[in-house]
Amino acid sequence: MCIRDRNYAEHLIINCFAQSSSIIIGLPLIIVYFFTDHLVAITYINMGIGTLVFTRVYKAVFEVSWLTAFLKYILSFILSFITFMIFLFIVILGAVIIMKGLGLENPFKPV
């Protein structure tokens, strides 16, 4: 078990390392995108590589089992997704309110 707690900056560094490792390992798959029509399969493979890399990093850093590291990755992924969706909703809601305030009901509709 991990004895000491980490501060916010250390968590940022850990996640930056994991993300950059995932990108570097998955980078050769970009070449495959140009030569195949199976883009969804390649995307799933790339997501799997990212999951394995993050799990390995979390296991090494937090000194936990593979299952605990995997569950921590899934939890952080879900929380990041939810946070992004809330932020996106607020931005879109703000844009709609501003457009209505300016009298633009549908800015894409021809005048």
Side-chain angles (χ1 to χ4, degrees):
M1 178 155 96
C2 185
I3 302 295
R4 80 179 185 94
D5 293 329
R6 288 175 171 69
N7 61 26
Y8 181 70
E10 289 173 324
H11 280 283
L12 283 178
I13 297 301
I14 291 166
N15 284 304
C16 285
F17 171 74
Q19 185 66 39
S20 62
S21 298
S22 175
I23 289 171
I24 290 171
I25 292 171
L27 206 55
L29 283 177
I30 291 177
I31 297 170
V32 179
Y33 273 111
F34 296 115
F35 301 111
T36 185
D37 293 332
H38 304 291
L39 301 180
V40 175
I42 295 171
T43 303
Y44 287 148
I45 291 170
N46 211 0
M47 287 174 63
I49 290 171
T51 301
L52 288 174
V53 169
F54 269 87
T55 302
R56 185 190 63 81
V57 169
Y58 287 169
K59 181 185 181 313
V61 170
F62 296 116
E63 299 170 355
V64 293
S65 68
W66 283 100
L67 180 63
T68 306
F70 176 73
L71 292 176
K72 282 186 178 190
Y73 168 72
I74 295 298
L75 179 65
S76 68
F77 183 81
I78 290 171
L79 289 176
S80 298
F81 182 77
I82 290 171
T83 303
F84 176 72
M85 287 295 125
I86 291 171
F87 177 74
L88 187 65
F89 175 75
I90 291 170
V91 168
I92 291 173
L93 185 65
V96 168
I97 291 171
I98 290 172
M99 286 191 313
K100 287 200 182 259
L102 295 174
L104 301 170
E105 293 298 324
N106 187 356
F108 303 108
K109 183 178 178 183
V111 179

